[in-house]
């Protein structure tokens, strides 16, 4: 396979993935490495980093989709950017195989150091019909299409005469009662109720929202008492929360549920909107590398964020974020390792940038990663939320409006780059002034149809969604 002559021949720090870890590693290294005569290269099929904690709010229309992503080109001006996927890494030969996003032939990219930062993908199970009927919530495209679909289903259902079809269109289901699932269902419930208030042909009771959770509780990140409050708050809003329940089948949107205790049937109903948020797994692309992988499919790393095999750390190989098994030196985490969240990803990335610079250019010292959990904040629709904050070793539990304010405050500040913070926060303020934007965008998949029909005499525009 050929090399690509378009790219720099300077010593390269290759960052595989431009999400949380990739963005911060590149941002913190790009100028310093350039000054040393090297180059930082980020390879990602996407031209932006996605602020995933905002996906539920994008799906609910309280944040504009473009504001929840950070453009690589705008913010990584001294970084070499390559739109493509890394499909393999041969660390022994210090080369990665890159498959360009435009479909042109793959090529080899040499490097001196590599940072594995390809994150995670949605973890699913072999449930019949899930792949065809479901949608995840890991990408901005999923969040945006979910928003448009929910608004479209509500509008379309308001004209339906077939009772079964109408019920199905107005039933919204989330599988997975972790943070992402709870935030997603409560946010879209809020938006759907607002849309129905604007539509004379529908009533609040026409909508159905169902949370399916296999465990006996939701949100492991908050206390039992807070988790119970979340469930009772959701139920008081008319959301069905089915604990100890699992999805057995979803063929053609016909859901069959089972009770987790005795595997007995636990109900059947149909939906057009099935959202799957039941966990993540390390990006399986790491299996196409010669790096050591743990039993959960993560790249093995030590606390210095160096990729580490049985014989010790590998020279020039680093990893952080969801793709990596990084020891949690505070004694927290799961199984002794950091849990996959943005709190760790950002902090690991900042330390990794310093460590790599110290190791490669001899400035500073390589340090171990140690981060005390700061707690968790979740929004549950406008002015509602739950939070478990851990400042200075204390634990403060919040519910309702104070938690929602903590959620907005935390994420408003945590959103990378001042211009993105400003866009998100100004959007929130505009929502206070004008209310939530319920405009539904149509025909995103077939934007040329109207022009084609106009340019083809006698042709009617095709049906489109
Ligand atoms: C809905 C939702 C809500 C969340 N809320 C919170 C929260 O409130 N608090 C919190 O702490 N965490 C939250 N998280 C988790 C947090 O977003 C992740 O832990 C974080 O994004 C991990 O960062 P990362 O850099 O490891 O991976 P990512 O940010 O996922 O970045 C991975 C990047 O790698 C790229 N990539 C993938 N494959 C390849 C390849 N083959 N080659 C090159 N590039 C590749 C991807 O396109 C992506 O840009 C949430 C996650 C979700 C899905």
């Amino acid at each position: 396979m050929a090399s690509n002559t378009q790219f720099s021949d300077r010593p390269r720090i290759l960052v595989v993935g431009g999400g949380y870890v990739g963005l911060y590693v590149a941002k913190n290294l790009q100028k310093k490495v350039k000054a040393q005569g090297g180059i930082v290269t980020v390879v990602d099929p996407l031209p932006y980093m996605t602020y995933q904690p905002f996906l539920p709010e994008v799906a609910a229309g309280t944040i504009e989709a473009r504001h929840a992503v950070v453009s690589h080109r705008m913010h990584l001006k001294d970084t070499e950017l390559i739109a493509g996927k890394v499909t393999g890494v041969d660390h022994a030969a210090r080369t990665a195989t890159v498959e360009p996003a435009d479909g042109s032939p793959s090529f080899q990219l040499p490097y001196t150091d590599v940072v594995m930062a390809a994150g995670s993908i949605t973890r699913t199970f072999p449930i019949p019909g899930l792949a065809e009927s479901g949608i995840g919530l890991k990408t901005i495209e999923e969040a945006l299409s979910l928003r448009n679909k929910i608004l479209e289903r509500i509008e379309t259902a308001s004209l339906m005469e077939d009772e079964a079809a109408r019920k199905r269109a107005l039933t919204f289901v989330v599988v997975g009662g972790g943070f992402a699932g709870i935030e997603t269902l409560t946010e879209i419930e809020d938006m759907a109720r607002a849309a129905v208030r604007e539509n004379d042909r529908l009533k609040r009771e026409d909508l159905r929202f169902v949370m399916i959770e296999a465990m006996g509780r939701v949100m492991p990140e908050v206390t039992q008492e807070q988790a119970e409050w979340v469930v009772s708050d959701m139920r008081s809003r008319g959301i069905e929360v089915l604990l100890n329940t699992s999805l057995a089948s979803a063929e053609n949107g016909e859901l069959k549920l089972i009770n987790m205790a005795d595997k007995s049937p636990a109900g059947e109903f149909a939906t057009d909107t099935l959202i799957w948020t039941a966990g993540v797994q390390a990006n399986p692309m790491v299996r196409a590398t010669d790096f050591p992988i743990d039993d959960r499919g993560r790249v093995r790393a030590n606390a210095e964020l160096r990729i580490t095999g049985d014989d010790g750390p590998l020279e020039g190989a680093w990893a952080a974020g969801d793709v990596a098994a990084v020891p949690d030196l505070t004694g927290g985490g799961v199984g002794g390792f950091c849990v996959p969240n943005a709190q760790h990803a950002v902090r690991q990335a900042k330390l990794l940038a310093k460590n790599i610079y110290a190791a490669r250019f001899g400035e500073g010292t390589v340090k171990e990663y140690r981060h005390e959990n700061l707690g968790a904040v979740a929004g549950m629709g406008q002015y509602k939320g739950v939070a478990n904050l851990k400042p200075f070793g204390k634990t403060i539990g919040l519910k309702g409006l104070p938690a929602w304010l903590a959620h907005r405050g935390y994420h408003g500040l945590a959103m990378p780059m001042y211009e993105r913070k400003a866009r998100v926060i100004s959007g929130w303020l505009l929502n206070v002034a004008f209310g939530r934007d319920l405009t539904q965008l149509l025909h995103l998949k077939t934007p040329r149809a109207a022009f084609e029909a106009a340019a083809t005499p006698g042709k009617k525009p095709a049906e489109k969604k």
Side-chain angles (χ1 to χ4, degrees), residues 16-22 43-46 48 52-53 55-56 84-86 117-120 137-138 180 183 283 285 320-323 340-343 345 377 411:
V16 180
Y20 271 91
V21 171
V43 180
D44 196 310
L46 301 173
Y48 46 75
Q52 294 172 26
L55 293 179
K85 263 186 194 168
V86 170
S120 55
L137 195 66
K138 273 288 281 173
E183 286 195 289
N283 193 322
M285 68 74 56
D322 287 8
V323 82
N341 67 26
Q343 230 183 89
V377 288
H411 285 298

Side-chain angles (χ1 to χ4, degrees), residues 146-208:
L146 205 47
R147 174 183 183 276
N148 285 325
K149 179 176 180 177
I150 292 165
L151 294 172
E152 181 277 325
R153 285 290 77 197
I154 289 172
E155 195 60 39
T156 306
S158 76
L159 289 170
M160 284 178 177
E161 289 181 359
D162 177 338
E163 194 50 34
R166 186 174 151 107
K167 263 191 166 168
R168 181 185 167 118
L170 295 175
T171 297
F172 303 98
V173 182
V174 170
V175 182
F179 252 68
I182 298 287
E183 286 195 289
T184 302
L185 189 55
T186 50
E187 291 285 354
I188 65 173
E189 184 253 356
D190 223 38
M191 176 183 73
R193 300 260 192 237
V196 163
R197 274 198 296 278
E198 305 291 320
N199 191 321
D200 292 342
R201 294 189 297 266
L202 291 173
K203 300 187 297 296
R204 182 187 161 87
E205 308 76 74
D206 294 332
L207 292 168
R208 182 178 184 195

Side-chain angles (χ1 to χ4, degrees), residues 433-457:
F434 300 115
R436 180 197 299 267
D437 186 351
L438 291 167
T439 320
Q440 172 206 348
L441 296 181
L442 283 173
H443 314 322
L444 291 179
K445 287 183 200 147
T446 53
R448 291 183 58 258
F451 176 77
E452 223 180 306
T456 318

Side-chain angles (χ1 to χ4, degrees), residues 198 382-383 426-438:
E198 305 291 320
Q382 291 290 69
Y383 315 120
S426 59
W428 282 336
L429 294 173
L430 289 174
N431 287 347
V432 174
F434 300 115
R436 180 197 299 267
D437 186 351
L438 291 167

